[in-house]
Amino acid sequence: MRNILKTGLAAFAAGTLSIGLAQAEPVKVGMITTLSGGGAGLGVDVRDGFMLAVKQVGNDELEVIVEDDARKPELAVQIADKMLQSDKVDILTGIIWSNLAMAVVPNTVNQGTFYISPNAGPSQLAGKMCNENYFNVAWQNDNLHEAAGAYANSAGHKNVFIMAPNYPAGTDALTGFKRMYEGELAGEVYTQLGQTDYAGEIAQIRDSGADAVFVFLPGGMGIAFTKQYAQAGVGAPLIGPAFSFGQDILGAVGDAALGVKNTSQWSKDIDNETNKAFVESFQAEYGRLPSLYASQGFDTANLILSAMEKADVKDKDAFRAALKEADFKSTRGDFKFGNNNHPIQDIYVREVVKEGDVLTNKIIGVALEDHQDAYAAECGM
Amino acid sequence: MSTALLIEQILNGLQFGVMLFLMAAGLTLIFGVMGLINLAHGSLFMVGAFACAAVAAATGSFWLGLVASLAAAAAAGAVIEILVIRRLYDRDHLDQVLATFALILIFSEGTRWVFGSFPLYLDIPPLLSGAVRLPGGASYPLYRLAVIGVGVAVAVGLYLLISRTRLGMRIRAGESDREMIAALGVDIRTLYTLVFALGAALAGLAGALVGALQSVQVGMGEPVLILAFVVIVIGGIGSIKGALIGSLLVGVTETLGRFLLPRFFAVFIEPSDAAAIGAAIASMLIYIVMALVLAVRPQGLFSANG
Amino acid sequence: MTREAIVTAVLIAALLAAPFAAQAIDEPFYITLATRIAILALAATGLNIALGLGGLVSFGHAAFFGIGGYAAGILATHAFNGEPLFLGLPGTNDMIVIWIVGALAAGAAASLIGLISLRTSGVYFIMITLAFAQMVYYFAISWPAYGGEDGLSIYVRNAFPGANTLAPMPFFLICFGVLCTGLAAFRSLMNSRFGAALQAGRQNEVRLAAVGIAPFTIRLAAFVISAMLTAVAGALFADLNRFVSPSMLSWHMSGELIVLIILGGVGRLGGPLAGAALFVLFEFALGGITERWQLFLGLVLLGVVLFARGGVMGLLAGRARHG
């Protein structure tokens, strides 16, 4: 989709386009994200969050081009090439999945174009392959899992069963959990990627006598597991990263998710003005509650807008420095970048609760404060 | 490893196999009677699940949703048969592959257009929630037992339909000699539409039953489609009996492979590595089984064509 | 020249001219797009040997495409980090060596797969080739050494003697050259005794056996050659994207290769090129217009099957002489 949304156009539809004020060339942002197929919900949320911020500021020097990658790495590369060579964008953003990010990001940043990640944070890009032009506004992939490990300690769990799909993000998740978790493992299981029937694994969990279960099963896999786990009535409490219990899928999981503890860098009840305004305006604009992905899209746009205030995007060094300052009002409250341009931030523990008829999350504690990822030391910046 | 756990895993394998049978039965019937490869069968599975979720959400009744899933999938099947599939019977398999591949794209994006990008909610009915005690100390979810029951009922029903009824006689005739059945004055167009709608309805039923256990989302039919093809090829294309045996073989192999292989490797190597290697081989296992079966019996286990 | 030969020549000329036009109007991206068309056309030409000439509908050619891609990725990685591959053999970033290694690896895999698969026919063949491709796919996803599902990045595009492969134009010309070689190979194969036997086997196996030719051997040879050509395309595709991942091995990719051939015209020399051009341009244009591009792509494909039998070549050059 080639939505050239001139922000001013969206804000002042009645032709009151601001005249003059055009000191510099507009900043062109290319957004490659997943808008079709099974994982489309995440891309739609990132895009909607991003566009909301753009619209609110009404800065018509920001031009956004959005295209669908259909979750195919080859297609993402093709769109990136097009945006870099033909549209000549200044900044790329939008990719949801780590494997697509690994296909697009290294080339983009090596060519001197900025890439600002609203979701994926593979460990390579935080460590050895870190780059001055690559910024991550969301998290390094391990972060939420590390927080889950820390939470399992503080909740007194001593014998946890852990499970993830058998692919790099899955093994990273279990590694991240084990990095913080101090107890015994009741079992460690890798499932097939895309698997949707977990009867076999649930039987193993029941048999293992675990006192808690940690799963990293994003999207549809998480929906299926949570429902089946609740139906099986195993009883051991469920812990996971927010990816399986975000606002985007809670509706599909239903009451089976009630009471699940999950870790997230964002929640709709984080108490600050920016966040309150964000949640309200997102609901007003799109008629649904925002997910963490929407908050990440929103923060990404605001980061870019904050840098535009300070520097011209053509002056790469100045613009980079402006990005690095992260001088924007984040929905998460405090936000700053570490040496590897990944966030240093608090990660919360949330519980799935029901507000009226709507399932949502409520913060019940902080799992890790001012947490930085484990790969920052490997980064030469 | 306790006996109860093993029994539970075998039941899981059977339940998964029964699900596959509902998909595979329609596929193999359509291939046997019309000689058509239908890649869009997974889309009909998805249509069933979405119809069930939408109706269950609107009325609060899973059972109405189930009826809706049968009706919607059968209707969708009949419509695409009349508009598209009908023109493909005398084409070669290649054209059928391309056309039904195109139908997958249309169905997926069409569904997303109507229902949005986010997964839908569908839960099992209260009547079937909870677990039953089995002899030997195992307990098993009632809903999954019910699914096994539905699969057995469908298998028996299909057997009776094909061996005892007039429609079944025509279907059998259609499998063995298409010209003859037309010469006998049977309205072959209507017969084909009926068979296609029947296969579609079974896929829709499977989608609804699975949707309650898993997640109702765009693209949910594709993994099942591939497995259903594996099943009918193992069983012998066109043979309902082969589809049943193939489904159970694939279901049990897949489930037990995932369960036993990591334990097997854990005897030799670190549990963490064993889990990863076991899972890797388990994901390849049914394809290995399929290759072995075809290497020994190139026409599958129970080929309808000899 | 027959009408078909003219159409094919015009297609090839148009593909060659497009990047120069793009350079003239300073739209370098269209060079990339033309390169993509050339590479996919080459992959489909490989498949066309098995599918078009031999009637072997392989639903698993993504395996060979991916093996070629991984050959490029793995050799380049080892050349980049200096670690030996195995048995002390070094990696390399020489494209020609990579093509040979990729083609040999895919040829070996195809011999093995073919030995088992070619005992079956029809739908069984379609499905057993799919099964083998799925095995390779799941293996690549869960094997951590070369990135698993994350795939493998190639940081610097591999080298070709006397060309700056990093610039779009020289890389396009390399791909175009390989495509032309592939098309020439296809053409001479089609017109050779071997090709005649292969096509005869597609139409009438009994007659072929009667004149003392074993269809199995001929088909196996065709299947292996077909896989090797597709693997070279896979290596180029990895270089184009500077990235290789298991999605190159997925059944969607196998399906896409078949789609390219049917779109263009089965068993026709110009078919894969016409199909690839049409598919890539549609994907690009529709993706630029609407978020629902896949819906319209589906409608277009459906329209082609129902109303344009014989694909683009069928429309432009009439029905094939035989088959």
Side-chain angles (χ1 to χ4, degrees):
Chain A
M1 167 173 99
R2 189 195 177 117
N3 250 348
I4 301 192
L5 275 192
K6 293 225 170 166
T7 57
L9 247 161
F12 315 100
T16 54
L17 261 171
S18 54
I19 2 155
L21 287 173
Q23 322 97 324
E25 289 272 298
V27 174
K28 260 192 177 180
V29 174
M31 177 180 282
I32 307 167
T33 196
T34 305
L35 300 172
S36 64
L42 285 73
V44 168
D45 264 1
V46 163
R47 179 195 63 190
D48 289 352
F50 192 98
M51 288 308 185
L52 180 67
V54 171
K55 184 181 163 184
Q56 281 176 354
V57 174
N59 184 341
D60 53 83
E61 265 133 44
L62 183 62
E63 185 181 308
V64 186
I65 307 167
V66 185
E67 282 209 37
D68 171 32
D69 60 32
R71 204 177 173 174
K72 293 183 186 161
E74 290 80 19
L75 192 54
V77 170
Q78 178 182 317
I79 297 171
D81 280 345
K82 192 207 105 189
M83 287 179 169
L84 292 173
Q85 296 171 4
S86 187
D87 298 320
K88 305 206 165 42
V89 297
D90 305 294
I91 300 170
L92 276 181
T93 183
I95 293 178
I96 301 294
W97 316 97
S98 291
N99 58 329
L100 273 69
M102 288 304 293
V104 167
V105 172
N107 272 314
T108 306
V109 293
N110 287 337
Q111 289 176 35
T113 304
F114 294 108
Y115 184 87
I116 304 181
S117 177
N119 199 58
S123 54
Q124 298 94 317
L125 296 178
K128 291 197 182 76
M129 285 167 65
C130 68
N131 188 294
E132 56 176 6
N133 294 326
Y134 171 77
F135 289 83
N136 186 311
V137 187
W139 21 254
Q140 196 279 315
N141 281 354
D142 299 9
N143 288 164
L144 302 194
H145 312 300
E146 290 164 349
Y151 166 74
N153 295 334
S154 66
H157 299 308
K158 301 264 182 285
N159 194 25
V160 178
F161 191 101
I162 61 176
M163 186 162 96
N166 194 25
Y167 76 125
T171 43
D172 284 356
L174 297 194
T175 312
F177 181 85
K178 288 189 279 187
R179 189 175 292 134
M180 293 289 170
Y181 172 64
E182 288 154 357
E184 299 281 315
L185 290 181
E188 179 173 9
V189 163
Y190 287 103
T191 62
Q192 197 175 323
L193 187 64
Q195 180 179 329
T196 44
D197 195 291
Y198 294 95
E201 287 75 10
I202 290 169
Q204 280 173 267
I205 293 171
R206 192 201 308 270
D207 193 55
S208 73
D211 62 5
V213 179
F214 167 78
V215 291
F216 164 60
L217 294 167
M221 295 185 275
I223 299 174
F225 176 80
T226 312
K227 280 162 73 175
Q228 293 164 25
Y229 187 75
Q231 285 159 13
V234 176
L238 196 56
I239 306 169
F243 313 126
S244 311
F245 307 98
Q247 202 64 52
D248 52 322
I249 60 173
L250 275 180
V253 181
D255 289 352
L258 272 180
V260 172
K261 309 289 188 296
N262 63 95
T263 50
S264 176
Q265 85 290 356
W266 177 85
S267 183
K268 83 177 187 357
D269 55 345
I270 293 179
D271 195 12
N272 65 57
E273 284 308 312
T274 315
N275 197 37
K276 273 186 200 142
F278 162 65
V279 173
E280 262 174 38
S281 54
F282 191 92
Q283 256 184 306
E285 181 79 24
Y286 303 109
R288 61 177 197 270
L289 283 172
S291 67
L292 75 158
Y293 311 110
S295 81
Q296 290 158 195
F298 188 79
D299 278 356
T300 304
N302 278 326
L303 171 69
I304 295 172
L305 288 161
S306 76
M308 283 167 62
E309 300 255 309
K310 297 186 174 182
D312 181 359
V313 76
K314 303 295 176 209
D315 182 354
K316 301 255 180 207
D317 289 331
F319 196 79
R320 186 181 306 119
L323 282 172
K324 182 110 186 176
E325 281 176 35
D327 186 14
F328 70 102
K329 290 209 166 62
S330 167
T331 54
R332 291 165 244 183
D334 295 339
F335 182 98
K336 66 176 183 216
F337 284 119
N339 63 315
N340 59 351
N341 295 349
H342 281 61
I344 299 178
Q345 59 189 346
D346 294 345
I347 299 175
Y348 301 92
V349 184
R350 315 185 298 182
E351 182 177 340
V352 179
V353 294
K354 218 167 188 177
E355 290 178 358
D357 280 343
V358 183
L359 285 161
T360 186
N361 282 287
K362 190 183 80 183
I363 293 181
I364 57 167
V366 179
L368 294 168
E369 272 182 41
D370 283 338
H371 182 61
Q372 187 172 21
D373 61 90
Y375 305 94
E378 291 172 26
C379 169
M381 291 197 300
Chain B
M1 167 178 44
S2 63
T3 329
L5 180 58
L6 191 63
I7 291 174
E8 197 176 341
Q9 295 290 22
I10 292 171
L11 280 174
N12 285 332
L14 288 178
Q15 183 254 311
F16 183 44
V18 157
M19 279 335 308
L20 287 176
F21 172 68
L22 290 181
M23 281 291 283
L27 262 186
T28 209
L29 201 60
I30 289 168
F31 188 86
V33 177
M34 286 96 100
L36 177 97
I37 300 183
N38 181 21
L39 290 186
H41 210 63
S43 300
L44 298 165
F45 176 85
M46 177 179 75
V47 166
F50 272 88
C52 184
V55 170
T59 65
S61 162
F62 175 80
W63 306 105
L64 283 178
L66 210 54
V67 173
S69 74
L70 282 166
V79 167
I80 60 170
E81 200 276 340
I82 290 167
L83 289 182
V84 178
I85 305 287
R86 180 169 283 183
R87 299 162 206 270
L88 299 169
Y89 293 138
D90 56 348
R91 303 285 191 89
D92 64 8
H93 292 330
L94 271 178
D95 283 355
Q96 299 172 352
V97 166
L98 179 59
T100 51
F101 183 79
L103 284 176
I104 295 182
L105 295 178
I106 295 171
F107 266 108
S108 291
E109 273 310 295
T111 308
R112 210 169 68 76
W113 207 334
V114 176
F115 292 98
S117 302
F118 298 93
L120 295 193
Y121 172 73
L122 179 63
D123 202 3
I124 59 176
L127 186 64
L128 294 177
S129 62
V132 261
R133 285 249 155 246
L134 298 177
S139 77
Y140 198 70
L142 183 59
Y143 183 79
R144 288 179 187 266
L145 278 182
V147 169
I148 296 179
V150 170
V152 172
V154 168
V156 172
L158 273 179
Y159 170 76
L160 292 177
L161 176 80
I162 288 175
S163 63
R164 297 287 160 81
T165 65
R166 224 179 153 71
L167 177 66
M169 194 191 74
R170 289 174 179 170
I171 289 175
R172 274 179 291 148
E175 278 175 337
S176 47
D177 193 336
R178 259 173 250 173
E179 280 81 24
M180 190 185 74
I181 177 166
L184 285 175
V186 174
D187 181 356
I188 197 133
R189 289 163 75 96
T190 316
L191 176 69
Y192 283 3
T193 310
L194 269 178
V195 170
F196 199 86
L198 174 66
L202 288 177
L205 175 67
L209 291 175
V210 167
L213 280 172
Q214 304 179 356
S215 73
V216 179
Q217 61 180 11
V218 172
M220 63 187 285
E222 290 177 22
V224 193
L225 171 78
I226 298 282
L227 287 180
F229 267 115
V230 168
V231 162
I232 66 169
V233 167
I234 289 180
I237 295 169
S239 159
I240 302 266
K241 181 169 132 203
L244 182 61
I245 307 277
S247 305
L248 297 180
L249 182 66
V250 167
V252 173
T253 309
E254 161 102 356
T255 307
L256 289 187
R258 267 177 12 220
F259 168 56
L260 293 174
L261 279 174
R263 289 171 182 244
F264 172 73
F265 283 105
V267 176
F268 311 106
I269 48 180
E270 284 283 298
S272 199
D273 294 337
I277 294 177
I281 296 182
S283 63
M284 295 159 65
L285 192 61
I286 52 163
Y287 299 104
I288 296 173
V289 169
M290 171 175 168
L292 284 177
V293 168
L294 289 192
V296 179
R297 290 184 67 101
Q299 298 286 301
L301 295 173
F302 302 92
S303 174
N305 316 321
Chain C
M1 262 165 78
T2 63
R3 192 159 149 207
E4 176 164 1
I6 297 171
V7 172
T8 308
V10 168
L11 277 173
I12 295 174
L15 179 64
L16 181 61
F20 289 99
Q23 206 164 40
I25 58 167
D26 194 28
E27 279 285 3
F29 173 68
Y30 293 109
I31 307 178
T32 310
L33 215 56
T35 314
R36 198 179 161 88
I37 291 174
I39 293 171
L40 288 176
L42 178 68
T45 301
L47 176 59
N48 207 12
I49 295 174
L51 191 154
L53 300 183
L56 307 168
V57 183
S58 165
F59 202 176
H61 254 52
F64 310 125
F65 194 61
I67 286 174
Y70 269 98
I74 291 173
L75 288 171
T77 304
H78 284 280
F80 186 73
N81 64 18
E83 287 167 17
L85 198 55
F86 52 84
L87 306 171
L89 286 171
T92 176
N93 62 358
D94 183 332
M95 273 192 197
I96 298 174
V97 178
I98 287 172
W99 297 342
I100 294 171
V101 172
L104 288 178
S111 316
L112 210 66
I113 295 174
L115 268 179
I116 300 173
S117 307
L118 287 167
R119 292 162 40 89
T120 66
S121 60
V123 187
Y124 293 95
F125 182 79
I126 299 182
M127 288 302 145
I128 195 170
T129 45
L130 170 71
F132 280 110
Q134 290 288 92
M135 281 183 222
V136 181
Y137 172 72
Y138 281 114
F139 177 75
I141 279 197
S142 36
W143 192 35
Y146 294 106
E149 207 221 7
D150 279 356
L152 197 57
S153 287
I154 300 171
Y155 301 109
V156 182
R157 197 174 271 163
N158 291 306
F160 189 85
N164 171 20
T165 55
L166 290 177
M169 199 52 138
F171 184 63
F172 166 78
L173 290 173
I174 292 170
C175 295
F176 181 78
V178 179
L179 172 66
C180 288
T181 316
L183 287 174
F186 182 86
R187 189 160 175 273
S188 56
L189 206 63
M190 186 161 71
N191 297 331
S192 68
R193 279 174 55 85
F194 173 79
L198 189 60
Q199 295 177 68
R202 186 188 67 203
Q203 283 148 9
N204 191 339
E205 190 166 318
V206 182
R207 205 170 60 197
L208 193 65
V211 292
I213 302 173
F216 184 84
T217 323
I218 301 247
R219 285 186 181 144
L220 185 60
F223 191 67
V224 171
I225 297 171
S226 156
M228 291 169 85
L229 204 54
T230 302
V232 173
L236 287 171
F237 197 63
D239 260 328
L240 171 70
N241 295 329
R242 279 153 298 186
F243 177 76
V244 50
S245 84
S247 75
M248 268 178 83
L249 297 156
S250 72
W251 72 271
H252 284 114
M253 194 72 226
S254 296
E256 243 176 70
L257 290 179
I258 295 181
V259 166
L260 297 185
I261 293 185
I262 308 174
L263 261 184
V266 178
R268 315 282 285 256
L269 175 64
L273 177 55
L278 196 67
F279 189 84
V280 170
L281 290 178
F282 261 118
E283 191 182 68
F284 169 70
L286 288 176
I289 297 168
T290 162
E291 187 187 317
R292 317 226 175 262
W293 61 278
Q294 296 200 350
L295 178 68
F296 296 100
L297 185 65
L299 289 172
V300 169
L301 293 180
L302 201 57
V304 169
V305 192
L306 292 183
F307 306 113
R309 296 184 68 168
V312 179
M313 292 303 289
L315 274 182
L316 295 178
R319 295 189 63 78
R321 278 169 297 154
H322 39 232

